[in-house]
Amino acid sequence: MRSVAVFVEQDSGAVRRTALEMCTKAADLAKELNTASMAVVVGTGANAAADRLKATPVDKIAACEDPIFERYLLDPAVDALQSALEQAGPAIVLFASTNASKDIAARIAVRLRAGIITEANEIAVKDGSLSVQSPKFGGSVITTVAIKNAENAVIVCRSNSFAAREEPGKGEIVSLPAPGGAGYRATVHERRSEEAGKLGVEEATIVVSGGRGLGGPEHFDIIEGLADALGGAVGASRAAVDAGWIAHGHQVGQTGKSVSPQLYIACGISGAIQHKVGMRSAGTIVAINKDASAPIYDFCDLGVVGDLFAIVPELTKLVKERKGAA
Amino acid sequence: MKIVVTVKQVPDTNAEKVFDSTTNRLNRTSIENVLNPFDEYAIEEALKIKEGAGDGSTVTVLTMAPESGREVIRKALAMGADDAAILSDPAFQGSDAMATSYALAQALKHIGFDLILAGTQSTDAICCAIPAALAEHLGVSCLTYARKVTVAGGEVEIQRDIEGGYARVTAPLPAVVSVVKGINEPRYPSLKGIMGAKKKSIEVLSAAAVGAEAGRVGDAGSFTRVQGWAAAPAREKGRVIKAADPGEGAKAIVDFLIAKKVI
Ligand SMILES: Cc1cc2nc3c(=O)[nH]c(=O)nc-3n(C[C@H](O)[C@H](O)[C@H](O)COP(=O)(O)OP(=O)(O)OC[C@H]3O[C@@H](n4cnc5c(N)ncnc54)[C@H](O)[C@@H]3O)c2cc1C
Ligand SMILES: Nc1ncnc2c1ncn2[C@@H]1O[C@H](COP(=O)(O)O)[C@@H](O)[C@H]1O
């Protein structure tokens, strides 16, 4: 029987909520399949991360703490994960939808001759086999995909798709040997942080986005103010990104990120189809636009027609008051 | 230096998607296709590297697609690529991401390369899997999500997008590099480019020509099966209010968020 594994990304021991969501999902799937679940975590801080994962419902945590993971780009991580998986036997392996995890997922899939399913937002077991939901074509079509002719399955999961649950003290930690390092080619020379500690739009449960209606880069601070008050991330339309007002990593849409937060607030964004495809799967959409005929009003849950420069600061104030009172 | 850019034709975002009810596959011939927008950045970067090198380097475009894929190839040639190959064979029908990456890797071995440039993702499938899978199949360096690329002395250096910043990474050639949007401004094909593209060679490659094993491509060589599909539920038009003043507008939003239990 295939076991269920999760590749967990960590940064100095800190793990993202998505990893906790996937660990919970892995444990639940393993239970249904009558098999075991395992988390694999590598890099500087892996041991601290493993301790944190003990509070999730996974059965086992394989950790490898070694500086080699920082010296080379992903090659050691792929090797370490492969050896952990080979020990465990055939597996369903879950990955987060980050740049690093998507790369490792694709490479592990080639090595293990696994079926790969990306953008998964629901994983179920039907009659003993996997059934995975994955939105395609900008979320306009939801496909249901199964694995065939392969012992292993690699599934790249969207953030905010599964609920996270704690089960303190459950997992058993085992340590993985460090990979050898022979033949690693891609060398990391330095890491520069530009927006340290800021939440990415893909993972945030709340995204506040600004568009051309902001009129200039200096006005993104009011979007940031609201995002901070709500504990969310800052997104942007392509128009705002192409104007150079904000880094392209913030872009939501067809040529940016696809997000599915609980709440999406669009400020000064018209709602073009290419923007819509990146955010249509948000739980709730709120729009602020001064043009009552903007297309965004056709698919938002609440629209307020008015000047964002007046409404957003007022909204930030009210949110802070509410949070202060709660 | 031989640079190969992998490009994909994707359905236009506005096109209505029609699925074949027996195979559960998208009918790609009945809809309007365009060059995957992400691949324009890869083509532009390849042309810039070639022009910068000024040493007779060449840019070849490779796509795996039905013969209709010629249209997107022509756009790449009009932008300035030297020649193109189209991997096209009924045997490839129904290939999933793994089968596609295997077939493309076989074609790349057949064509030869020093540097492979790709987009980070395609707008239809958003697998973000092909570039890294290619590197793995080919056993070459894998440098993905580049926002800056420099090639010198048989080595490639990139600035890789990472959470909250970037990493400077180097590797020896040959290598696969995928580029992010924003790395450059893709050029528009000039009239001269468009005319010139008509004379450029487009080689059609079959599965046999690239030595792709029958059991590893097409539906038989795929490890995933699309069991079904459904149109995503349309988002209902919600409440739109015209606030008398900003305070009232803001209050309406906060009340709504409280009712939705978001705050
Ligand atoms: C191949 C391709 C890919 C694309 N990919 C993307 C993508 O990934 N993401 C994306 O977003 N777009 C994408 N686009 C672009 C898309 O078509 C739109 O051009 C873009 O989304 C528009 O951005 P916007 O809504 O910020 O600007 P606009 O359409 O100009 O809208 C600005 C809005 O702000 C409102 N406004 C102005 N001032 C105020 C004020 N003071 N208060 C309140 N409201 C105000 C206006 O009424 C207007 O509705 C893509 C296009 C193409 C062709
Ligand atoms: N059928 C294909 N033919 C050629 N290149 C492809 C094909 N599919 C994907 N690619 C390349 O892989 C990149 C990532 O696509 P994907 O992994 O499908 O999201 C694209 O930007 C292309 O460079």
Side-chain angles (χ1 to χ4, degrees):
Chain A
M1 189 32 95
R2 290 196 279 228
S3 65
V4 188
V6 182
F7 177 76
V8 174
E9 263 181 77
Q10 58 90 24
D11 185 11
S12 311
V15 296
R16 298 286 184 143
R17 200 193 57 254
T18 310
L20 308 177
E21 292 168 6
M22 291 192 300
C23 285
T24 306
K25 188 70 190 179
D28 291 349
L29 285 171
K31 197 162 173 212
E32 255 185 281
L33 292 164
N34 210 1
T35 172
S37 58
M38 167 175 76
V40 179
V41 60
V42 302
T44 307
N47 290 338
D51 281 336
R52 168 67 186 91
L53 296 173
K54 264 182 93 67
T56 73
V58 283
D59 298 317
K60 190 168 128 182
I61 302 134
C64 183
E65 173 128 5
D66 196 274
I68 196 165
F69 296 102
E70 265 60 56
R71 267 203 304 279
Y72 299 102
L73 184 66
L74 306 186
D75 290 338
V78 178
D79 277 356
L81 177 60
Q82 184 183 10
S83 74
L85 291 172
E86 276 169 357
Q87 272 175 32
I92 297 160
V93 198
L94 311 187
F95 292 86
S97 209
T98 62
N99 293 357
S101 285
K102 284 186 287 198
D103 275 356
I104 297 171
R107 294 177 59 184
I108 277 290
V110 172
R111 289 195 189 181
L112 302 182
R113 293 243 183 151
I116 181 165
I117 302 174
T118 57
E119 296 278 298
N121 61 3
E122 179 56 309
I123 308 171
V125 177
K126 281 210 183 101
D127 308 322
S129 43
L130 271 184
S131 173
V132 181
Q133 276 194 8
S134 165
K136 297 283 177 208
F137 309 105
S140 59
V141 175
I142 314 285
T143 57
T144 308
V145 189
I147 298 288
K148 59 163 185 154
N149 302 338
E151 285 199 312
N152 295 291
V154 162
I155 304 177
V156 182
C157 307
R158 276 195 172 194
S159 289
N160 304 320
S161 296
F162 322 120
R165 198 175 64 240
E166 303 271 301
E167 261 178 59
K170 181 162 181 218
E172 176 208 353
I173 299 179
V174 295
S175 67
L176 277 176
Y184 295 163
R185 286 172 298 254
T187 310
V188 179
H189 298 276
E190 60 174 330
R191 286 166 213 272
R192 285 271 177 95
S193 84
E194 296 164 316
E195 300 184 323
K198 290 269 185 235
L199 201 58
V201 282
E202 275 166 306
E203 210 197 7
T205 50
I206 296 178
V207 176
V208 184
S209 284
R212 182 146 38 206
L214 279 173
E218 66 280 12
H219 301 308
F220 255 97
D221 58 357
I222 69 167
I223 299 296
E224 228 172 283
L226 180 56
D228 283 347
L230 288 164
V234 174
S237 73
R238 177 171 176 168
V241 169
D242 285 1
W245 300 347
I246 188 163
H248 78 95
H250 293 269
Q251 186 184 318
V252 171
Q254 186 193 47
T255 45
K257 306 243 161 81
S258 292
V259 302
S260 34
Q262 223 184 327
L263 169 67
Y264 189 90
I265 305 184
C267 310
I269 291 177
S270 60
I273 176 91
Q274 294 90 352
H275 189 77
K276 182 182 178 186
V277 295
M279 43 70 89
R280 60 173 293 160
S281 55
T284 298
I285 298 173
V286 173
I288 302 168
N289 194 306
K290 67 180 183 191
D291 174 9
S293 64
I296 192 122
Y297 288 132
D298 294 336
F299 58 93
C300 67
D301 300 288
L302 176 67
V304 174
V305 181
D307 183 7
L308 76 90
F309 292 106
I311 296 172
V312 175
E314 192 62 30
L315 177 56
T316 308
K317 203 179 95 201
L318 291 181
V319 168
K320 280 188 183 153
E321 277 170 21
R322 161 88 190 164
K323 291 221 162 170
Chain B
M1 185 170 42
K2 182 156 181 149
I3 308 170
V4 183
V5 188
T6 55
V7 305
K8 186 179 184 186
Q9 64 163 355
V10 296
D12 186 36
T13 312
N14 290 305
E16 197 183 328
K17 318 296 184 295
V18 183
F19 281 74
D20 183 315
S21 55
T22 51
T23 63
N24 279 327
R25 273 188 238 129
L26 178 72
N27 185 339
R28 287 181 189 266
T29 46
S30 69
I31 53 178
E32 196 179 329
N33 289 300
V34 295
L35 174 60
N36 177 26
F38 287 89
D39 298 342
E40 294 186 19
Y41 302 98
I43 297 166
E44 177 63 36
E45 201 58 26
L47 296 173
K48 276 172 68 177
I49 292 170
K50 168 190 154 148
E51 288 156 4
D55 58 357
S57 290
T58 56
V59 175
T60 301
V61 200
L62 169 66
T63 193
M64 172 164 148
E67 288 265 347
S68 59
R70 274 176 192 278
E71 270 171 56
V72 307
I73 286 281
R74 233 173 248 127
K75 174 160 186 197
L77 291 174
M79 282 173 75
D82 296 285
D83 54 16
I86 168 164
L87 193 53
S88 202
D89 192 311
F92 295 136
Q93 259 173 40
S95 294
D96 69 357
M98 279 300 108
T100 300
S101 68
Y102 166 75
L104 284 171
Q106 289 299 118
L108 286 159
K109 283 185 205 164
H110 172 83
I111 297 170
F113 60 87
D114 298 298
L115 175 65
I116 297 165
L117 284 171
T120 48
Q121 60 186 273
S122 51
T123 53
D124 54 350
I126 325 186
C127 288
C128 305
I130 302 291
L134 287 179
E136 193 64 37
H137 280 297
L138 297 166
V140 302
S141 313
C142 178
L143 301 184
T144 46
Y145 301 96
R147 57 158 84 161
K148 184 163 188 255
V149 183
T150 335
V151 185
E155 199 179 67
V156 54
E157 172 170 334
I158 69 159
Q159 282 183 8
R160 171 184 169 89
D161 262 1
I162 57 173
E163 203 81 35
Y166 70 88
R168 195 163 64 79
V169 188
T170 59
L173 294 176
V176 175
V177 173
S178 77
V179 302
V180 300
K181 169 188 175 276
I183 189 173
N184 55 38
E185 269 304 325
R187 65 193 69 183
Y188 287 102
S190 64
L191 190 60
K192 190 162 155 256
I194 294 168
M195 298 313 287
K198 295 190 175 137
K199 293 194 229 72
K200 289 178 180 169
S201 128
I202 302 179
E203 189 184 6
V204 180
L205 298 171
S206 66
V210 300
E213 291 167 38
R216 295 192 67 183
V217 295
D219 186 45
S222 294
F223 300 140
T224 54
R225 176 191 299 123
V226 178
Q227 292 176 307
W229 60 273
R235 285 200 82 102
E236 307 243 326
K237 188 183 167 93
R239 194 159 55 96
V240 177
I241 56 167
K242 217 170 166 149
D245 65 72
E248 195 186 300
K251 172 117 186 5
I253 296 174
V254 168
D255 288 345
F256 178 75
L257 298 183
I258 292 169
K260 286 266 176 192
K261 297 196 167 56
V262 186
I263 55 170

